[in-house]
Amino acid sequence: MYNPQPGDTLDALDTPSMVVDLDLMEANIASMLGRLLPTGVKVRPHLKTTKSPLLAQKLIDAGATGGCVAKLSEAEVMAAGGIEDLLITCEIIGKPKVARLVALFRQHPQVKVVLDSAAGATMINQALEEAGIAAPLQVLIDLDVGQNRTGIAPGAPALELARTIGRLKNLRLIGVQGYEGHLQHLHDRQAREENCRASMLLLSGTADLLREAGFEIETVTTGGTGTAEFCADCPGITEVQPGSFIFMDTDYRNALGQVFSNSLTVLATVISKQGPGRVVIDTGLKSLTTDSGYAEPKNLPDLVYTPNGDEHGTLSWKSGPGLEIGDRVEMIPSHIDPTINLHDTYYAHRKGIIEEIWPVATRGKVQ
Ligand SMILES: Cc1ncc(COP(=O)(O)O)c(C=O)c1O
């Protein structure tokens, strides 16, 4: 029976398999938290990247404060896995989801949600009231600080929403969130920093406006891997939410340089060679995503990867020895979060010896 175990070498793994270099991953965690924590901000890592309560706990052990999740179904799995201090960063809308939120909140009262509309706030408040839950749910107003996705406009519209929330007895407004996702991958560091600082002014300015109106705004949360260091340096920001830094991908490496290492790869095997300068490997669209460009073979700069259907990919080269049937190659994903969502298991190794095996616990948790 196929059953790889800690102590096995990577050669024991069938392919495609998702592998994590623990030395590199731990260095990424130490580097991000080592930079941010001394500034006084909390680091609430976005767990949409790792999809694993075990990894969330490793981040907490390193100094993180709970975690963010994008979806309610991710929160359910994280909470069941022992991660209590969770912020759900997407709006909770619709009867089925609100009912799930109420059930989750009953068991896990530290869960927090963002909202950007009076309709959403009223819906959640009513469900909590009908459920007879006395303690108020902690909520944050989601602000649009330039991404043009969710989030109410900063300033007066946000204040009006705060006043609405203030009238709802089952909700307690504790903060504001403003995610500047459109800036994370800007290659020009100066442009990334300047635009980020402008977004942070909208966020902290609205937090101040709400405080002047009497609201106790304790949390001002924002940022991702590309901007966290700038956010942490802006007055009024209390918390940052980077996620991808733990593993990185080629897209982020191209934008940020080698600030963090690519610690996760997808191990592949050459399954066919039918001519010079080209082999076919067993990773295609089912194991590597392509929304942010194509994956790259690790340590093989002369080889270029092109997906070739669901299960196949072509590696081609113009000069050099290339690869032979049966050779193995580690592919660095171009976009880490959705690539992880294609796999069941992480094989974490140190210098080629498997040390830990983690399930991708929130894989497929899209609701
Ligand atoms: C609201 C929010 N915060 C933080 C992040 C983390 O960003 P990254 O993985 O780029 O560090 C994301 C990613 O999509 C997000 O949607």
Side-chain angles (χ1 to χ4, degrees), residues 65-273:
T65 300
C68 297
V69 287
K71 295 300 187 102
L72 182 90
S73 54
E74 293 176 319
E76 290 170 342
V77 174
M78 288 294 166
I83 310 302
E84 294 287 343
D85 184 355
L86 289 169
L87 170 63
I88 304 177
T89 60
C90 291
E91 277 67 16
I92 304 283
I93 297 290
K95 237 180 166 180
K97 206 178 305 294
V98 170
R100 279 170 83 165
L101 172 64
V102 170
L104 181 70
F105 177 57
R106 200 191 281 282
Q107 300 294 324
H108 302 281
Q110 282 191 63
V111 73
K112 294 165 265 296
V113 303
V114 302
L115 38 83
D116 71 357
S117 67
T122 309
M123 218 181 276
I124 296 172
N125 184 70
Q126 193 181 335
L128 288 167
E129 196 161 325
E130 283 166 14
I133 301 177
L137 171 71
Q138 299 178 77
V139 301
L140 290 82
I141 293 180
D142 183 22
L143 296 177
D144 181 2
V145 293
Q147 188 179 18
N148 215 358
R149 193 169 65 180
T150 59
I152 195 165
L159 179 58
E160 197 184 323
L161 179 56
R163 292 205 164 108
T164 302
I165 295 169
R167 288 192 288 273
L168 301 173
K169 76 174 179 31
N170 296 81
L171 304 183
R172 184 164 88 82
L173 180 63
I174 62 157
V176 288
Q177 167 182 276
Y179 177 56
E180 70 298 7
H182 59 304
L183 305 178
Q184 299 303 326
H185 292 87
L186 285 187
H187 285 213
D188 180 340
R189 185 183 158 88
Q190 196 182 337
R192 199 163 4 103
E193 173 165 4
E194 282 173 11
N195 284 294
C196 177
R197 287 184 185 278
S199 288
M200 293 307 105
L201 281 179
L202 296 173
L203 183 59
S204 57
T206 303
D208 287 341
L209 183 72
L210 268 50
R211 287 189 189 108
E212 281 157 23
F215 295 96
E216 281 178 42
I217 300 301
E218 59 201 55
T219 301
V220 182
T221 185
T222 178
T225 296
T227 59
E229 61 175 315
F230 309 134
C231 301
D233 189 46
C234 288
I237 304 304
T238 70
E239 187 177 283
V240 289
Q241 311 180 348
S244 300
F245 70 96
I246 185 166
F247 297 138
M248 295 295 281
D249 49 35
T250 60
D251 198 26
Y252 251 134
R253 182 210 57 204
N254 293 343
L256 308 188
Q258 294 288 356
V259 187
F260 303 101
S261 301
N262 291 107
S263 62
L264 181 149
T265 55
V266 174
L267 190 62
T269 301
V270 176
I271 58 168
S272 181
K273 182 171 189 178

Side-chain angles (χ1 to χ4, degrees), residues 18 264 266 287-289 333-343:
M18 202 167 63
L264 181 149
V266 174
S287 48
L288 290 164
T289 57
S334 52
H335 190 182
I336 199 71
D337 300 7
T339 294
I340 294 170
N341 201 42
L342 300 173
H343 296 262

Side-chain angles (χ1 to χ4, degrees), residues 36-77:
L36 296 176
L37 291 177
T39 68
V41 292
K42 291 181 183 168
V43 180
R44 182 181 292 280
H46 212 303
L47 305 175
K48 59 176 278 184
T49 304
T50 63
K51 303 175 177 60
S52 158
L54 294 172
L55 281 161
Q57 190 57 53
K58 282 184 194 293
L59 287 158
I60 291 169
D61 293 345
T65 300
C68 297
V69 287
K71 295 300 187 102
L72 182 90
S73 54
E74 293 176 319
E76 290 170 342
V77 174

Side-chain angles (χ1 to χ4, degrees), residues 351-365:
K351 298 180 179 47
I353 310 289
I354 298 169
E355 239 178 64
E356 295 181 47
I357 299 175
W358 311 310
V360 184
T362 64
R363 174 182 185 183
K365 298 298 178 200

